[in-house]
Amino acid sequence: MTSTTLAAALPAEHRERLMRLAREVSFPAGARLFEEGRRAERFWIVRTGTVVLDVHVPGRRAAVVESLGHGELVGWSWHVPPYVWHLGAEALSPVRAWEFDAATVRELCARDAAFGRAVAEWVGRVVADRLRAARIRLLDLYGPCGSGSRP
Amino acid sequence: MSDRRTTAVLARTGLDALVQALRARGRTVVGPTVRDGAVVLAELSSAEELPFGWGTRVEAGRYRLVRRADGAAFAHTAGPQSWKTFLHPGREKLWDADRTADGQLSVTEAPRAHISYAFLGVRPCDLRAVAVQDRVLAGGRYRDRGYQERRTGALLIAAECTEPGATCFCVSMGGGPGADAGFDLALTEVVDEAGHRFLVRAGSDAGDELLAEVPHRPADPETKAVARGAVDAARERMGRAMPPVDLRTLLGDSLEADRWDDVAARCLTCGNCTMVCPTCFCTTTEEVTDLTGDHAERWQRWDSCFDLDFSHLHGGPVRASARSRYRQWLTHKLSTWYEQFGSSGCVGCGRCVTWCPVGIDITEEAAALHDELAARLRQDGQRGRGARGVRDVRYERKEPER
Amino acid sequence: MTEVPLPYRVTRVHRETADTVTLALVPAGPAASAPFVPGQFAMVYAFGVGEIPVSVSRIGRRTLHHTVRSVGAVSAALCALRPGARVGLRGPFGTGWELGRAAGQDLLVVAGGIGLAPLRPLVLQALAARSRYGRLNLLVGARTPGDLLYARQLRSWTAQRALRHCAVTVDRSADGDGWWGHVGLVTALLKHAAFAPENTTAFLCGPEVMIRATARDLLHRGLPPRRVRVSLERNMRCATGHCGHCQLGGVLLCRDGPVIGWDRAEALCSVREL
């Protein structure tokens, strides 16, 4: 969990190769990075600011399910077929980030097996970490009756 | 035992003189007596109420009174009660609370009746049980005042055990049929051609003083020898035994044992074992209000770890399964008690075996847990887990607890 | 039972959330026999209803604050009290956080839900002797923004430089709830905390699942188990070690806890239904 940031999760050699593909971008507060159901063609690593992941539920207010800050990966759907976003993402504050073109990175992964494995492991860690957190939150531990049922 | 303490012989009539001397001192004399088909503990007005001529035949889940030709008074095994009924009663008021018209709250400690007990016929296993409860209720940072008052005021007259029952296993718990400490007087009943009499040893100043008031004669070597012989013989006639291993480690290492499922399938979680156990001390509290709503009483009553509510946290019980509750009881009794109170919680009296409605026998459960753990350790050893192998040897070699 | 409850007067009732209030209590007669230290608890008695263990959530010269969440009959009665009402109080009981043993170290305080209550006096204690400790991190998790305890205090702490890092995260947030902070599990906040694992003491309180998850992460980061202090909860009736309810293996939580080291707690928390 503590090692999902890029710096900790990717060996230096692969990290440098990945970073050569990065471009600096910035988003004003309120900007949408992506929308649920669209093709996942890019991904980001947050440098400053906060990006929130949200879901729109008809008849309910949009729910924020996770917020991501410095060093964290925004988006993993680009790495897994069918390369479609599952959630929406929005800049909560002004955000500066590294942006990557998904197709280029996937192509490099396919060409270089060692690099591909390292990236897959990094993305896997991120997904595992968020899955674990989501499962614990699913228990609604702070709810009215701890983790139990209602009386 | 100090040499200056008196050793003497009481005639059968001397026993009643003893009861009368205690009553004359204002003591409430409690001892065994036959009632409702069992030997129960109740207030005695005379020694004649003792169960002369009654013995018991017990097995797992079974208890029957039987007649004895020799007329012995202390030839029965432990009944359904123990001395905790008197020292740590099933219900006790803790405090009265009153709310006045202007909203003030006053809480006063419940007044306690000042009873000074004399317990007549305390078995050595029960002497050890009293010592265990002493450590729990009066040996820590906080003292249970009610218990402490009743306990310090109580006079203990032990009756050494010469007729152990089929469910007795005190020897394997480090005890034995003889009383060696913690009593004011210790009786050993002797019935032979020379008559029905009691070898009596004083264990305290109070015991010496009491004995001085009661007709007695010096202890003769024959009576001493017969009494000693009977107690020694009893040591060899225990109906059951715990496996001769370090039970603390065994239970501590058996938390995930399969055996718990087996015993849970039989256990009714009725809590009988906890009620009859002379060391089980758990209590809960109740709030009782009167009709005006301005007076409330706080009561304490015995509770059982077999009760679902026992481990209740908002949301539900921590120990929801019978497996976990049986495991809690046995593990506490034989293992975690050491960590909490510095000794085992079991004295080997056998009550929980006798009074279990389905005859669950904790010596058998411990043996089964031991077999399972030993098998697991052997397997681990064969798989080359060195650390467990070392543990294995240490575990197997452990002598019975003393 | 060792002593009867002492009457205390409710001087203030602060509604923290929909189901939680903080009661400010002063002695209506003689005060508790000993001063409370952060992490300890009192048995708070609601007349005619019963008694429950409640951690002290702020320790004043005369005033004790107890934060109570309405989850049962007694806590509901306590939550319904008005200023001027009387409660009974026994205590202090149990172990404290033992902040003093962390002198010179970075502090990592991680709270989940009502678990912030016993940790608040610890944070206040650390702030009062700021120079004695290294970096002070406070990580707080709650269900929704509306379920946050001590919201004003948290805002002021977040703005303070004395706390190296104060972050709050909620499990869920929705448009219009005004929440601009983190959304996610409290463990996610560890990434942004500033502490040197080899020289840090952590203080954890919250639901046991959250404690386990956080403690595991901290061990993974290199904190020794004994420097992860956790506060655990079990049923309690007497608080004096005599009723048997609060057993967790060989631990009597009212006597040996509620605060114990993870070196002792880990094995106990890993056995189901212990």
Side-chain angles (χ1 to χ4, degrees):
Chain A
M1 114 117 292
T2 50
S3 53
T4 53
T5 55
L6 181 70
L10 266 189
E13 160 201 2
H14 299 309
R15 190 165 67 234
E16 279 159 25
R17 292 186 69 185
L18 181 68
M19 289 313 290
R20 266 182 246 135
L21 304 174
R23 56 183 172 267
E24 272 187 62
V25 294
S26 58
F27 299 96
R32 302 290 297 175
L33 276 71
F34 54 81
E35 297 294 346
E36 180 185 333
R38 303 281 169 79
R39 288 192 59 76
E41 290 163 336
R42 287 173 293 170
F43 64 93
W44 299 264
I45 293 166
V46 179
R47 299 173 65 199
T48 60
T50 303
V51 174
V52 295
L53 304 176
D54 58 17
V55 191
H56 276 277
V57 187
R60 273 166 60 173
R61 295 180 297 180
V64 172
V65 296
E66 183 121 45
S67 58
L68 302 170
H70 170 75
E72 287 178 291
L73 173 65
V74 179
W76 49 262
S77 301
W78 59 273
H79 193 260
V80 185
Y83 310 120
V84 169
W85 296 120
H86 296 277
L87 298 167
E90 181 173 317
L92 186 70
S93 60
V95 167
R96 292 195 308 134
W98 299 111
E99 185 177 273
F100 300 84
D101 180 68
T104 312
V105 176
R106 285 200 300 260
E107 201 188 3
L108 185 57
C109 288
R111 267 210 319 271
D112 182 337
F115 178 77
R117 263 200 309 280
V119 169
E121 191 181 315
W122 167 48
V123 176
R125 277 197 208 187
V126 170
V127 174
D129 180 43
R130 290 182 197 169
L131 175 63
R132 187 186 70 139
R135 283 172 170 170
I136 293 179
R137 286 160 63 195
L138 184 64
L139 296 173
D140 195 18
L141 293 170
Y142 309 136
C145 291
S147 54
S149 53
R150 282 156 191 275
Chain B
M1 209 62 37
S2 144
D3 288 340
R4 64 193 170 82
R5 299 272 182 233
T6 319
T7 300
V9 171
L10 282 188
R12 189 185 142 153
T13 51
L15 212 51
D16 194 51
L18 189 64
V19 171
Q20 299 316 326
L22 289 164
R23 287 171 62 83
R25 291 173 173 215
R27 288 190 177 271
T28 301
V29 181
V30 179
T33 188
V34 171
R35 185 182 293 170
D36 301 328
V39 175
V40 301
L41 299 175
E43 183 173 353
L44 304 178
S45 54
S46 120
E48 286 313 302
E49 292 165 280
L50 290 167
F52 286 106
W54 287 104
T56 47
R57 189 165 297 143
V58 296
E59 244 315 320
R62 190 179 163 82
Y63 177 98
R64 293 288 181 276
L65 288 185
V66 288
R67 271 286 175 197
R68 290 179 64 93
D70 64 1
F74 298 113
H76 53 88
T77 51
Q81 292 157 301
S82 67
W83 307 94
K84 79 174 179 183
T85 305
F86 303 92
L87 293 174
H88 183 48
R91 263 178 79 74
E92 185 176 20
K93 185 154 83 170
L94 298 176
W95 69 68
D96 289 284
D98 288 282
R99 187 166 55 187
T100 59
D102 58 349
Q104 302 282 339
L105 172 69
S106 79
V107 187
T108 48
E109 194 169 354
R112 282 185 291 272
H114 291 282
I115 302 178
S116 58
Y117 284 115
F119 295 153
L120 175 59
V122 185
R123 296 298 186 188
C125 55
D126 283 348
L127 278 181
R128 283 184 282 271
V130 169
V132 169
Q133 285 214 327
D134 285 350
R135 286 192 288 275
V136 173
L137 296 170
R141 175 171 173 201
Y142 299 101
R143 311 291 162 95
D144 182 317
R145 283 190 213 166
Y147 178 86
Q148 199 168 23
E149 277 177 27
R150 290 183 290 269
R151 175 67 180 91
T152 42
L155 191 117
L156 269 53
I157 302 173
E160 293 195 299
C161 186
T162 53
E163 285 286 335
T167 58
C168 288
F169 58 96
C170 66
V171 170
S172 63
M173 287 311 298
D180 44 21
F183 55 83
D184 295 289
L185 288 178
L187 307 174
T188 317
E189 189 169 30
V190 176
V191 192
D192 59 12
E193 309 78 46
H196 191 168
R197 58 203 190 279
F198 300 88
L199 180 73
V200 52
R201 292 177 288 137
S204 70
D205 292 344
D208 268 323
E209 285 164 28
L210 181 64
L211 193 52
E213 285 182 37
V214 180
H216 64 268
R217 56 182 165 86
D220 55 285
E222 290 78 17
T223 303
K224 275 186 178 172
V226 175
R228 197 45 45 215
V231 172
D232 287 345
R235 172 173 284 278
E236 307 305 321
R237 288 177 21 235
M238 291 291 142
R240 280 170 162 74
M242 277 288 182
V245 299
D246 180 350
L247 293 170
R248 182 183 181 177
T249 306
L250 168 62
L251 273 291
D253 285 354
S254 295
L255 292 173
E256 308 290 0
D258 293 336
R259 181 69 184 187
W260 301 121
D261 290 323
D262 187 278
V263 66
R266 288 171 280 137
C267 176
L268 308 177
T269 67
C270 68
N272 263 16
C273 48
T274 59
M275 297 293 114
V276 298
C277 177
T279 67
C280 268
F281 60 85
C282 290
T283 53
T284 187
T285 43
E286 287 171 350
E287 187 80 358
V288 182
T289 47
D290 70 2
L291 283 175
T292 68
D294 291 327
H295 178 74
E297 295 177 352
R298 192 81 176 152
W299 284 81
Q300 172 181 288
R301 64 168 173 81
W302 284 355
D303 201 0
S304 169
C305 53
F306 283 95
D307 194 303
L308 258 183
D309 273 348
F310 188 85
S311 62
H312 184 86
L313 276 184
H314 51 274
V318 172
R319 296 180 207 109
S321 67
R323 170 192 159 96
S324 68
R325 279 174 277 151
Y326 190 86
R327 180 181 68 185
Q328 164 63 25
W329 184 67
L330 196 61
T331 305
H332 185 214
K333 192 70 38 183
L334 299 177
S335 182
T336 52
W337 204 294
Y338 284 96
E339 201 172 329
Q340 293 169 5
F341 304 111
S343 74
S344 172
C346 179
V347 295
C349 72
R351 284 183 179 89
C352 59
V353 183
T354 304
W355 298 94
C356 175
V358 295
I360 293 171
D361 172 354
I362 69 167
T363 64
E364 187 187 326
E365 297 312 315
L369 288 168
H370 168 58
D371 291 344
E372 185 179 338
L373 180 62
R376 201 177 80 208
L377 293 177
R378 267 196 307 277
Q379 258 179 18
D380 288 358
Q382 280 161 11
R383 288 198 202 119
R385 295 186 198 172
R388 287 305 270 184
V390 172
R391 181 95 184 253
D392 191 356
V393 172
R394 200 180 66 200
Y395 172 74
E396 294 282 359
R397 277 191 190 160
K398 183 77 187 186
E399 291 299 306
E401 302 175 12
R402 290 289 162 194
Chain C
M1 191 64 59
T2 57
E3 51 182 24
V4 300
L6 298 171
Y8 271 64
R9 182 164 53 86
V10 178
T11 56
R12 223 167 74 87
V13 180
H14 181 73
R15 182 154 287 282
E16 303 283 352
T17 72
D19 62 3
T20 305
V21 304
T22 296
L23 303 173
L25 307 174
V26 297
S33 54
F36 281 71
V37 300
Q40 287 187 309
F41 69 95
M43 293 301 286
V44 183
Y45 172 56
F47 173 81
V49 190
E51 217 186 13
I52 50 168
V54 190
S55 291
V56 62
S57 67
R58 184 170 196 159
I59 304 160
R61 218 157 28 86
R62 284 186 77 229
T63 312
L64 290 173
H65 292 250
H66 288 280
T67 302
V68 185
R69 185 177 190 195
S70 176
V71 291
V74 181
S75 55
L78 292 173
C79 284
L81 292 175
R82 297 273 161 266
R86 299 291 196 278
V87 297
L89 189 138
R90 294 191 293 129
F93 294 117
T95 52
W97 291 109
E98 297 179 358
L99 178 63
R101 287 165 62 177
Q105 297 179 6
D106 291 338
L107 308 179
L108 183 61
V109 180
V110 187
I114 189 85
L116 181 56
L119 286 165
R120 178 168 70 161
L122 172 84
V123 174
L124 292 168
Q125 189 184 14
L127 286 172
R130 193 62 202 85
S131 58
R132 206 175 296 166
Y133 307 98
R135 291 166 289 187
L136 171 56
N137 297 271
L138 173 62
L139 313 180
V140 179
R143 190 175 188 228
T144 70
D147 291 312
L148 270 175
L149 303 181
Y150 321 130
R152 272 180 59 184
Q153 195 154 33
L154 282 176
R155 272 197 297 278
S156 110
W157 282 345
T158 311
Q160 262 182 48
R161 303 228 65 154
L163 266 97
R164 175 61 177 73
H165 186 75
C166 174
V168 180
T169 188
V170 296
D171 272 355
R172 57 196 68 177
S173 163
D175 263 2
D177 64 11
W179 182 245
W180 287 82
H182 297 270
V183 179
L185 196 65
V186 72
T187 48
L189 300 178
L190 288 174
K191 286 178 204 150
H192 310 297
F195 61 96
E198 66 284 1
N199 189 38
T200 295
T201 298
F203 305 90
L204 275 46
C205 187
E208 209 163 291
V209 179
M210 168 244 148
I211 288 180
R212 294 204 302 261
T214 309
R216 262 201 305 271
D217 280 0
L218 292 176
L219 261 52
H220 182 68
R221 280 227 178 173
L223 259 78
R226 72 193 150 76
R227 280 205 269 109
V228 177
R229 310 268 296 152
V230 303
S231 179
L232 299 175
E233 185 188 12
R234 283 295 180 273
N235 190 326
M236 277 182 198
R237 312 302 297 191
C238 74
T240 53
H242 299 150
C243 80
H245 281 261
C246 66
Q247 289 178 69
L248 178 61
V251 170
L252 285 171
L253 273 180
C254 74
R255 182 190 77 179
D256 311 324
V259 180
I260 60 174
W262 188 244
D263 50 335
R264 204 166 174 203
E266 183 173 21
L268 302 173
C269 289
S270 65
V271 180
R272 281 183 186 212
E273 296 192 273
L274 193 67

